[in-house]
Amino acid sequence: MSTIRERRITDQGLEIGLAALTQDRIREAVQAIRNSETGAKMKVYHETCMRCGMCAPACHFYVSNDNDPSYAPVAKVHQTMTRILNGEDIGPQDVYDFAQIAYTECNLCRRCAFYCPVGIDIGYIMSTVRRFCYKLGMVPQYLNDTGNSHASTMNQMWVKEDEWTDSLLWQEEEARDEFPHIRIPLDKEGADIFYSVIGPEPKFQTQLIYQAACIMHVAGLDWTMPSFPGWDNSDMSMYIGDFETMGRVKKAHFDAAQKLKCKRIVMGECGHAFRSVHDVGNRWLGAKDSPVPIVHSIKFFADLIREGKIKIAYKIDDPVTIHDPCNVIRGRGLMDELRYVTHALCSNVIEMTPNREYNYCCCAGGGVINCGPPYKNSRVQGNRVKAEQIKRTGATIVISPCHNCHSGLEDIVHGAKIDAKISFLGDLIYPQMEKPAHFTEPAPCNGGGHV
């Protein structure tokens, strides 16, 4: 069995935080976690865990590292939160260990909760360990930078307001080569759909905005995007443990949709953003549910196809498999809708085993991939089980409707030398949907702002 100290990875952010740690600060953070940051929920989990170890085989880190017991979910809790709650002596080097375990060796995927005989949510426990580390300034450098961007700009990629609107104008102009009268409507009050994306899309994945605009156009939808902050639905502050910034980011997102009086928010293909909007950030703001109805793109695409608003012209014959993103499958139950869309697009779908709510995490989610290059090798090694899953299917296309999953799977198929392409649903819908000839003719103006 290895130890966290033996596999320590040097991280500039953690080293800087370590240099500023004192025993008084650590004691203050421990008291905050024990007395004000947690309550009955954490106490029940702490007192009911039987240390049975049934959670161990649920964790991709444990399985991918040859069943090393130190990677078992219960062991991660025992090395961190148990020590905090038991009032044990915790020194600066221990906090470094806590940070590496909580931020980089747990994806908060909640698969282990399905295997725990009493349903302990270890994802919640490890999120609270992250909160403890954040209060002490112990956050990996790359992840912390995304949090700083959220706090300063309300998006995770330091995208300036003029860069955002310029990216939309650029994609609108590009799309007009195909659809001469297509629009990306900005700030249209009363639109049916407020469409939001994550920070990387205007930064280096603008083709996804292009595809979404084309799908909206062909479906004849009434939609808009905001020209002002609130367009980014992602939230790495949630994964840092900076819940104050998380609340500001989520409020900006909901406020933007409400300011434009939109009827619903449709989100692009991202899992963690959906978790932040649907499950965590809205609750932090005190909302009983989401202040504006939320629709993930999996459900959105399924409805468009089911209702005939877009028609699929042909199916591809390539062997395709499905990766179930944790936050929209275990977190929302969209597994059947994902398969409905996939089978509408593909004739040769091969399921991974296990799948659906029991599918293994991509090992990129939970902010782990955002911890950056220092942890890439441990992240790829920690997901060997997923690479083996994909390889067994023989698929040449892996559908993954989530940004973090998409990036994480790219790394593992490359690392395992698997000849498979990772695709969003939009990557297939856009080229395979019917594009009637009348969309090349002048369209009536339906009001609202314009880029």
Side-chain angles (χ1 to χ4, degrees):
M1 180 177 77
S2 66
T3 67
I4 184 62
R5 200 66 62 87
E6 290 170 348
R7 53 179 185 265
R8 174 169 289 191
I9 293 174
T10 300
D11 182 295
Q12 187 178 6
L14 296 182
E15 293 290 345
I16 292 172
L18 181 66
L21 280 183
T22 64
Q23 287 301 142
D24 286 344
R25 289 185 63 206
I26 295 172
R27 278 192 289 271
E28 184 179 338
V30 167
Q31 291 304 313
I33 293 297
R34 295 180 63 181
N35 300 332
S36 59
E37 294 277 350
T38 60
K41 181 178 179 180
M42 183 65 78
K43 184 177 175 64
V44 168
Y45 286 162
H46 180 57
E47 294 181 354
T48 56
C49 177
M50 299 171 284
R51 314 294 191 269
C52 66
M54 290 187 70
C55 57
C59 180
H60 47 280
F61 276 105
Y62 171 84
V63 176
S64 298
N65 284 289
D66 301 322
N67 298 343
D68 184 332
S70 70
Y71 286 99
V74 62
K76 295 172 192 174
V77 173
H78 187 69
Q79 295 171 80
T80 57
M81 184 55 72
T82 301
R83 297 188 60 189
I84 294 172
L85 297 179
N86 285 346
E88 297 181 17
D89 288 335
I90 296 171
Q93 295 294 339
D94 297 319
V95 180
Y96 197 116
D97 296 341
F98 288 12
Q100 184 167 323
I101 291 171
Y103 286 115
T104 75
E105 296 184 359
C106 175
N107 294 93
L108 314 181
C109 75
R110 291 172 167 165
R111 189 172 191 263
C112 50
F114 281 63
Y115 289 78
C116 174
V118 291
I120 293 174
D121 182 358
I122 291 177
Y124 162 73
I125 297 174
M126 299 312 293
S127 293
T128 309
V129 176
R130 293 184 182 195
R131 174 71 169 170
F132 171 76
C133 294
Y134 164 74
K135 293 173 79 70
L136 291 169
M138 292 291 287
V139 179
Q141 177 75 14
Y142 282 83
L143 181 61
N144 199 42
D145 184 64
T146 63
N148 291 336
S149 178
H150 275 306
S152 302
T153 67
M154 293 291 110
N155 70 77
Q156 67 162 293
M157 298 297 291
W158 299 100
V159 178
K160 298 176 182 176
E161 288 190 40
D162 59 339
E163 291 176 332
W164 164 241
T165 51
D166 282 351
S167 294
L168 298 183
L169 175 61
W170 170 35
Q171 291 311 300
E172 184 180 81
E173 290 178 346
E174 289 283 316
R176 282 182 174 172
D177 286 341
E178 187 173 13
F179 301 105
H181 302 283
I182 195 171
R183 298 176 59 196
I184 298 181
L186 278 189
D187 301 340
K188 181 182 178 184
E189 286 196 10
D192 177 53
I193 294 170
F194 175 97
Y195 185 63
S196 61
V197 299
I198 73 169
E201 293 199 21
K203 200 73 173 182
F204 51 80
Q205 292 176 304
T206 50
Q207 82 280 3
L208 299 177
I209 296 174
Y210 178 107
Q211 292 169 1
C214 294
I215 293 169
M216 298 275 190
H217 182 65
V218 171
L221 301 177
D222 177 22
W223 69 295
T224 191
M225 300 182 86
S227 65
F228 47 88
W231 55 264
D232 184 355
N233 53 37
S234 70
D235 204 332
M236 282 299 144
S237 302
M238 171 180 69
Y239 285 146
I240 288 172
D242 178 4
F243 298 151
E244 292 78 9
T245 297
M246 174 190 73
R248 289 176 54 221
V249 172
K250 291 286 78 76
K251 187 174 187 304
H253 185 241
F254 287 126
D255 282 354
Q258 290 179 319
K259 181 179 180 179
L260 296 177
K261 301 180 176 63
C262 295
K263 297 179 179 62
R264 55 179 173 154
I265 296 172
V266 173
M267 304 179 63
E269 296 182 58
C270 186
H272 101 268
F274 187 78
R275 180 178 185 158
S276 75
V277 171
H278 175 72
D279 186 29
V280 182
N282 53 326
R283 300 182 198 281
W284 174 263
L285 293 173
K288 184 178 179 181
D289 202 339
S290 301
V292 180
I294 300 288
V295 181
H296 189 271
S297 53
I298 293 174
K299 170 68 173 167
F300 177 63
F301 291 145
D303 287 344
L304 292 183
I305 295 171
R306 190 178 289 119
E307 295 167 6
K309 291 182 177 175
I310 57 173
K311 294 181 171 58
I312 304 303
Y314 63 93
K315 294 185 179 184
I316 58 172
D317 296 325
D318 309 66
V320 171
T321 192
I322 299 169
H323 168 73
D324 292 284
C326 306
N327 289 314
V328 291
I329 302 301
R330 274 191 286 278
R332 183 54 173 161
L334 295 179
M335 58 283 275
D336 291 332
E337 297 289 63
L338 175 54
R339 280 155 181 78
Y340 175 79
V341 178
T342 302
H343 283 272
L345 295 162
C346 311
S347 61
N348 186 12
V349 181
I350 307 161
E351 290 279 3
M352 293 187 204
T353 304
N355 56 25
R356 303 166 77 91
E357 67 268 35
Y358 294 103
N359 198 26
Y360 283 109
C361 174
C362 66
C363 202
V368 174
I369 195 170
N370 296 78
C371 291
Y375 304 97
K376 181 177 178 180
N377 289 341
S378 63
R379 174 167 54 79
V380 173
Q381 170 61 29
N383 207 11
R384 195 180 68 198
V385 65
K386 173 58 69 177
E388 292 168 354
Q389 264 195 308
I390 295 173
K391 195 170 186 177
R392 281 198 299 271
T393 67
T396 56
I397 297 176
V398 181
I399 291 182
S400 174
C402 168
H403 275 274
N404 278 339
C405 297
H406 199 280
S407 300
L409 295 178
E410 288 274 10
D411 287 338
I412 67 164
V413 300
H414 178 75
K417 296 181 171 52
I418 299 171
D419 184 18
K421 174 185 176 183
I422 315 300
S423 290
F424 292 105
L425 290 172
D427 289 333
L428 299 182
I429 293 173
Y430 159 69
Q432 292 176 229
M433 68 180 177
E434 290 184 4
K435 298 166 185 171
H438 68 268
F439 283 106
T440 63
E441 299 171 352
C445 176
N446 58 357
H450 194 282
V451 176

mmCIF file of all heavy atoms in Angstrom, residues 41-66:
data_model
loop_
_atom_site.group_PDB
_atom_site.id
_atom_site.type_symbol
_atom_site.label_atom_id
_atom_site.label_comp_id
_atom_site.label_asym_id
_atom_site.label_seq_id
_atom_site.Cartn_x
_atom_site.Cartn_y
_atom_site.Cartn_z
ATOM 1 N N LYS A 41 -25.760 16.422 9.036
ATOM 2 C CA LYS A 41 -25.458 15.541 7.906
ATOM 3 C C LYS A 41 -24.054 14.941 8.052
ATOM 4 O O LYS A 41 -23.879 13.714 7.944
ATOM 5 C CB LYS A 41 -25.580 16.341 6.604
ATOM 6 C CG LYS A 41 -25.308 15.561 5.340
ATOM 7 C CD LYS A 41 -25.524 16.474 4.124
ATOM 8 C CE LYS A 41 -25.242 15.767 2.817
ATOM 9 N NZ LYS A 41 -25.460 16.683 1.659
ATOM 10 N N MET A 42 -23.072 15.790 8.307
ATOM 11 C CA MET A 42 -21.695 15.293 8.449
ATOM 12 C C MET A 42 -21.569 14.413 9.689
ATOM 13 O O MET A 42 -20.874 13.380 9.666
ATOM 14 C CB MET A 42 -20.727 16.470 8.549
ATOM 15 C CG MET A 42 -19.265 16.070 8.620
ATOM 16 S SD MET A 42 -18.677 15.253 7.111
ATOM 17 C CE MET A 42 -18.445 16.682 6.047
ATOM 18 N N LYS A 43 -22.241 14.787 10.771
ATOM 19 C CA LYS A 43 -22.166 14.000 12.001
ATOM 20 C C LYS A 43 -22.726 12.586 11.786
ATOM 21 O O LYS A 43 -22.140 11.602 12.247
ATOM 22 C CB LYS A 43 -22.954 14.726 13.108
ATOM 23 C CG LYS A 43 -22.881 14.070 14.476
ATOM 24 C CD LYS A 43 -23.630 14.923 15.505
ATOM 25 C CE LYS A 43 -23.685 14.236 16.871
ATOM 26 N NZ LYS A 43 -22.354 14.063 17.451
ATOM 27 N N VAL A 44 -23.836 12.513 11.061
ATOM 28 C CA VAL A 44 -24.430 11.195 10.790
ATOM 29 C C VAL A 44 -23.488 10.345 9.946
ATOM 30 O O VAL A 44 -23.270 9.162 10.224
ATOM 31 C CB VAL A 44 -25.789 11.369 10.084
ATOM 32 C CG1 VAL A 44 -26.283 10.033 9.529
ATOM 33 C CG2 VAL A 44 -26.816 11.941 11.046
ATOM 34 N N TYR A 45 -22.926 10.944 8.900
ATOM 35 C CA TYR A 45 -21.986 10.196 8.060
ATOM 36 C C TYR A 45 -20.800 9.696 8.899
ATOM 37 O O TYR A 45 -20.356 8.551 8.769
ATOM 38 C CB TYR A 45 -21.477 11.080 6.915
ATOM 39 C CG TYR A 45 -22.485 11.327 5.812
ATOM 40 C CD1 TYR A 45 -22.305 12.379 4.922
ATOM 41 C CD2 TYR A 45 -23.590 10.500 5.638
ATOM 42 C CE1 TYR A 45 -23.211 12.615 3.891
ATOM 43 C CE2 TYR A 45 -24.504 10.720 4.612
ATOM 44 C CZ TYR A 45 -24.306 11.790 3.750
ATOM 45 O OH TYR A 45 -25.200 12.010 2.736
ATOM 46 N N HIS A 46 -20.276 10.583 9.741
ATOM 47 C CA HIS A 46 -19.091 10.239 10.557
ATOM 48 C C HIS A 46 -19.406 9.086 11.506
ATOM 49 O O HIS A 46 -18.576 8.197 11.714
ATOM 50 C CB HIS A 46 -18.668 11.487 11.342
ATOM 51 C CG HIS A 46 -17.467 11.285 12.212
ATOM 52 N ND1 HIS A 46 -16.249 10.849 11.735
ATOM 53 C CD2 HIS A 46 -17.298 11.470 13.561
ATOM 54 C CE1 HIS A 46 -15.382 10.766 12.726
ATOM 55 N NE2 HIS A 46 -15.994 11.128 13.849
ATOM 56 N N GLU A 47 -20.612 9.068 12.052
ATOM 57 C CA GLU A 47 -20.949 8.082 13.073
ATOM 58 C C GLU A 47 -21.516 6.780 12.499
ATOM 59 O O GLU A 47 -21.563 5.774 13.206
ATOM 60 C CB GLU A 47 -21.954 8.695 14.068
ATOM 61 C CG GLU A 47 -21.344 9.830 14.884
ATOM 62 C CD GLU A 47 -22.317 10.420 15.889
ATOM 63 O OE1 GLU A 47 -23.498 10.009 15.859
ATOM 64 O OE2 GLU A 47 -21.900 11.281 16.675
ATOM 65 N N THR A 48 -21.958 6.797 11.241
ATOM 66 C CA THR A 48 -22.556 5.580 10.680
ATOM 67 C C THR A 48 -21.619 4.794 9.770
ATOM 68 O O THR A 48 -21.903 3.629 9.460
ATOM 69 C CB THR A 48 -23.841 5.903 9.882
ATOM 70 O OG1 THR A 48 -23.538 6.857 8.868
ATOM 71 C CG2 THR A 48 -24.926 6.441 10.793
ATOM 72 N N CYS A 49 -20.512 5.399 9.342
ATOM 73 C CA CYS A 49 -19.572 4.653 8.484
ATOM 74 C C CYS A 49 -19.014 3.470 9.279
ATOM 75 O O CYS A 49 -18.462 3.636 10.367
ATOM 76 C CB CYS A 49 -18.433 5.551 8.007
ATOM 77 S SG CYS A 49 -17.199 4.661 7.017
ATOM 78 N N MET A 50 -19.156 2.270 8.697
ATOM 79 C CA MET A 50 -18.745 1.043 9.388
ATOM 80 C C MET A 50 -17.349 0.611 8.982
ATOM 81 O O MET A 50 -16.879 -0.436 9.419
ATOM 82 C CB MET A 50 -19.755 -0.067 9.067
ATOM 83 C CG MET A 50 -21.167 0.244 9.531
ATOM 84 S SD MET A 50 -22.376 -0.952 8.925
ATOM 85 C CE MET A 50 -22.555 -0.449 7.210
ATOM 86 N N ARG A 51 -16.702 1.404 8.108
ATOM 87 C CA ARG A 51 -15.367 1.045 7.603
ATOM 88 C C ARG A 51 -15.392 -0.343 6.956
ATOM 89 O O ARG A 51 -14.434 -1.107 7.057
ATOM 90 C CB ARG A 51 -14.311 1.074 8.717
ATOM 91 C CG ARG A 51 -14.340 2.291 9.624
ATOM 92 C CD ARG A 51 -13.975 3.567 8.875
ATOM 93 N NE ARG A 51 -13.742 4.678 9.790
ATOM 94 C CZ ARG A 51 -14.691 5.546 10.186
ATOM 95 N NH1 ARG A 51 -15.933 5.420 9.742
ATOM 96 N NH2 ARG A 51 -14.396 6.542 10.983
ATOM 97 N N CYS A 52 -16.492 -0.681 6.287
ATOM 98 C CA CYS A 52 -16.638 -2.014 5.692
ATOM 99 C C CYS A 52 -15.848 -2.151 4.393
ATOM 100 O O CYS A 52 -15.550 -3.261 3.960
ATOM 101 C CB CYS A 52 -18.113 -2.314 5.444
ATOM 102 S SG CYS A 52 -18.878 -1.256 4.179
ATOM 103 N N GLY A 53 -15.551 -1.032 3.747
ATOM 104 C CA GLY A 53 -14.759 -1.074 2.527
ATOM 105 C C GLY A 53 -15.524 -1.414 1.271
ATOM 106 O O GLY A 53 -14.922 -1.600 0.204
ATOM 107 N N MET A 54 -16.856 -1.498 1.341
ATOM 108 C CA MET A 54 -17.620 -1.835 0.140
ATOM 109 C C MET A 54 -17.563 -0.724 -0.902
ATOM 110 O O MET A 54 -17.889 -0.934 -2.066
ATOM 111 C CB MET A 54 -19.072 -2.136 0.519
ATOM 112 C CG MET A 54 -19.220 -3.438 1.299
ATOM 113 S SD MET A 54 -20.930 -3.917 1.594
ATOM 114 C CE MET A 54 -21.446 -4.355 -0.064
ATOM 115 N N CYS A 55 -17.159 0.468 -0.493
ATOM 116 C CA CYS A 55 -17.028 1.578 -1.439
ATOM 117 C C CYS A 55 -15.772 1.436 -2.303
ATOM 118 O O CYS A 55 -15.673 2.061 -3.361
ATOM 119 C CB CYS A 55 -17.000 2.917 -0.694
ATOM 120 S SG CYS A 55 -15.675 3.035 0.543
ATOM 121 N N ALA A 56 -14.803 0.637 -1.851
ATOM 122 C CA ALA A 56 -13.494 0.595 -2.517
ATOM 123 C C ALA A 56 -13.578 0.281 -4.013
ATOM 124 O O ALA A 56 -13.068 1.040 -4.839
ATOM 125 C CB ALA A 56 -12.578 -0.385 -1.795
ATOM 126 N N PRO A 57 -14.222 -0.845 -4.398
ATOM 127 C CA PRO A 57 -14.225 -1.177 -5.841
ATOM 128 C C PRO A 57 -15.060 -0.228 -6.694
ATOM 129 O O PRO A 57 -15.043 -0.346 -7.911
ATOM 130 C CB PRO A 57 -14.807 -2.595 -5.864
ATOM 131 C CG PRO A 57 -15.582 -2.722 -4.598
ATOM 132 C CD PRO A 57 -14.863 -1.895 -3.593
ATOM 133 N N ALA A 58 -15.763 0.711 -6.064
ATOM 134 C CA ALA A 58 -16.532 1.693 -6.831
ATOM 135 C C ALA A 58 -15.646 2.814 -7.362
ATOM 136 O O ALA A 58 -16.045 3.549 -8.263
ATOM 137 C CB ALA A 58 -17.634 2.295 -5.954
ATOM 138 N N CYS A 59 -14.447 2.943 -6.789
ATOM 139 C CA CYS A 59 -13.583 4.087 -7.126
ATOM 140 C C CYS A 59 -12.608 3.724 -8.241
ATOM 141 O O CYS A 59 -11.844 2.766 -8.132
ATOM 142 C CB CYS A 59 -12.809 4.536 -5.889
ATOM 143 S SG CYS A 59 -11.712 5.932 -6.211
ATOM 144 N N HIS A 60 -12.626 4.525 -9.310
ATOM 145 C CA HIS A 60 -11.723 4.260 -10.436
ATOM 146 C C HIS A 60 -10.260 4.422 -10.038
ATOM 147 O O HIS A 60 -9.395 3.744 -10.581
ATOM 148 C CB HIS A 60 -12.065 5.177 -11.610
ATOM 149 C CG HIS A 60 -12.252 6.604 -11.223
ATOM 150 N ND1 HIS A 60 -13.417 7.071 -10.666
ATOM 151 C CD2 HIS A 60 -11.417 7.674 -11.273
ATOM 152 C CE1 HIS A 60 -13.304 8.359 -10.415
ATOM 153 N NE2 HIS A 60 -12.097 8.749 -10.767
ATOM 154 N N PHE A 61 -9.964 5.307 -9.075
ATOM 155 C CA PHE A 61 -8.571 5.444 -8.621
ATOM 156 C C PHE A 61 -8.110 4.150 -7.943
ATOM 157 O O PHE A 61 -6.990 3.677 -8.155
ATOM 158 C CB PHE A 61 -8.446 6.620 -7.635
ATOM 159 C CG PHE A 61 -8.274 7.960 -8.295
ATOM 160 C CD1 PHE A 61 -9.319 8.863 -8.360
ATOM 161 C CD2 PHE A 61 -7.051 8.322 -8.857
ATOM 162 C CE1 PHE A 61 -9.163 10.099 -8.972
ATOM 163 C CE2 PHE A 61 -6.885 9.558 -9.461
ATOM 164 C CZ PHE A 61 -7.937 10.453 -9.522
ATOM 165 N N TYR A 62 -8.970 3.587 -7.111
ATOM 166 C CA TYR A 62 -8.640 2.339 -6.403
ATOM 167 C C TYR A 62 -8.432 1.201 -7.404
ATOM 168 O O TYR A 62 -7.413 0.503 -7.368
ATOM 169 C CB TYR A 62 -9.775 2.010 -5.437
ATOM 170 C CG TYR A 62 -9.684 0.649 -4.786
ATOM 171 C CD1 TYR A 62 -8.916 0.441 -3.640
ATOM 172 C CD2 TYR A 62 -10.392 -0.435 -5.314
ATOM 173 C CE1 TYR A 62 -8.856 -0.805 -3.043
ATOM 174 C CE2 TYR A 62 -10.336 -1.689 -4.724
ATOM 175 C CZ TYR A 62 -9.571 -1.869 -3.586
ATOM 176 O OH TYR A 62 -9.519 -3.121 -2.997
ATOM 177 N N VAL A 63 -9.371 1.040 -8.324
ATOM 178 C CA VAL A 63 -9.297 -0.072 -9.275
ATOM 179 C C VAL A 63 -8.115 0.106 -10.232
ATOM 180 O O VAL A 63 -7.372 -0.839 -10.516
ATOM 181 C CB VAL A 63 -10.618 -0.184 -10.063
ATOM 182 C CG1 VAL A 63 -10.529 -1.277 -11.125
ATOM 183 C CG2 VAL A 63 -11.786 -0.458 -9.123
ATOM 184 N N SER A 64 -7.926 1.342 -10.686
ATOM 185 C CA SER A 64 -6.872 1.591 -11.681
ATOM 186 C C SER A 64 -5.477 1.537 -11.083
ATOM 187 O O SER A 64 -4.489 1.402 -11.810
ATOM 188 C CB SER A 64 -7.094 2.972 -12.325
ATOM 189 O OG SER A 64 -8.328 3.011 -12.998
ATOM 190 N N ASN A 65 -5.374 1.666 -9.757
ATOM 191 C CA ASN A 65 -4.067 1.567 -9.095
ATOM 192 C C ASN A 65 -3.922 0.222 -8.371
ATOM 193 O O ASN A 65 -3.458 0.158 -7.229
ATOM 194 C CB ASN A 65 -3.897 2.735 -8.111
ATOM 195 C CG ASN A 65 -3.584 4.044 -8.831
ATOM 196 O OD1 ASN A 65 -2.490 4.229 -9.360
ATOM 197 N ND2 ASN A 65 -4.562 4.938 -8.878
ATOM 198 N N ASP A 66 -4.372 -0.833 -9.048
ATOM 199 C CA ASP A 66 -4.176 -2.215 -8.573
ATOM 200 C C ASP A 66 -4.745 -2.440 -7.177
ATOM 201 O O ASP A 66 -4.115 -3.104 -6.335
ATOM 202 C CB ASP A 66 -2.679 -2.583 -8.608
ATOM 203 C CG ASP A 66 -2.097 -2.468 -10.011
ATOM 204 O OD1 ASP A 66 -2.814 -2.813 -10.969
ATOM 205 O OD2 ASP A 66 -0.943 -2.017 -10.147
#
